[in-house]
Amino acid sequence: QVQVVESGGGEVQVGRSLRLSCAASGRDFYAMGWFRQTPGKDREFVAAVPWRGASSKYADFVKARFTISRDDAKNTLSLQMNSLQPEDSAVYYCAVSDYYSGNHDNFKSYNYWGQGTQVTVSS
């Protein structure tokens, strides 16, 4: 049984940092990534590591503020978010896939999701 569990959300002030963590279990995974969602919008790609040992991929809006890290031995994923802005407020989801799709930035390419963790950036 696959489980994906996130932790680390919360409320911070503008310019501060947060670190999200994700632990996936149950099998080996190809892509592991982070998405975020605000009310009324589709899940938006944030960052991903498309397969074991691959280089990290980021959405343009990240602009070097976020860093994704993957530990393949432990099947864990983290997202270090620096210089947070109010527009970064969203529910953040960890997502993993057990097949190769080639579309790491499309939420439809992931078949297992965490429960989501709220990030709120206040000014």
Side-chain angles (χ1 to χ4, degrees):
Q1 182 179 357
V2 174
Q3 287 190 316
V4 181
V5 180
E6 304 130 340
S7 60
E11 182 170 359
V12 296
Q13 293 186 323
V14 171
R16 303 299 293 269
S17 300
L18 271 179
R19 185 179 181 87
L20 305 182
S21 298
C22 172
S25 61
R27 63 187 61 180
D28 292 335
F29 302 104
Y30 280 92
M32 299 182 75
W34 292 97
F35 288 75
R36 68 186 188 183
Q37 189 171 27
T38 53
K41 294 187 176 182
D42 283 339
R43 293 186 182 184
E44 177 182 44
F45 171 70
V46 177
V49 182
W51 57 84
R52 293 185 169 214
S55 57
S56 303
K57 309 295 183 184
Y58 296 95
D60 289 343
F61 66 79
V62 168
K63 296 179 182 178
R65 298 181 299 131
F66 296 179
T67 302
I68 189 172
S69 299
R70 175 173 176 167
D71 186 329
D72 290 328
K74 299 179 179 179
N75 267 351
T76 57
L77 191 71
S78 64
L79 185 69
Q80 177 67 39
M81 304 186 293
N82 300 327
S83 301
L84 284 163
Q85 302 299 313
E87 53 267 33
D88 294 317
S89 297
V91 177
Y92 283 70
Y93 294 91
C94 177
V96 300
S97 66
D98 60 4
Y99 68 98
Y100 177 73
S101 73
N103 296 316
H104 59 269
D105 57 351
N106 188 332
F107 70 90
K108 296 179 181 179
S109 297
Y110 295 80
N111 52 346
Y112 298 101
W113 293 81
Q115 77 283 4
T117 185
Q118 178 71 47
V119 171
T120 302
V121 184
S122 56
S123 56

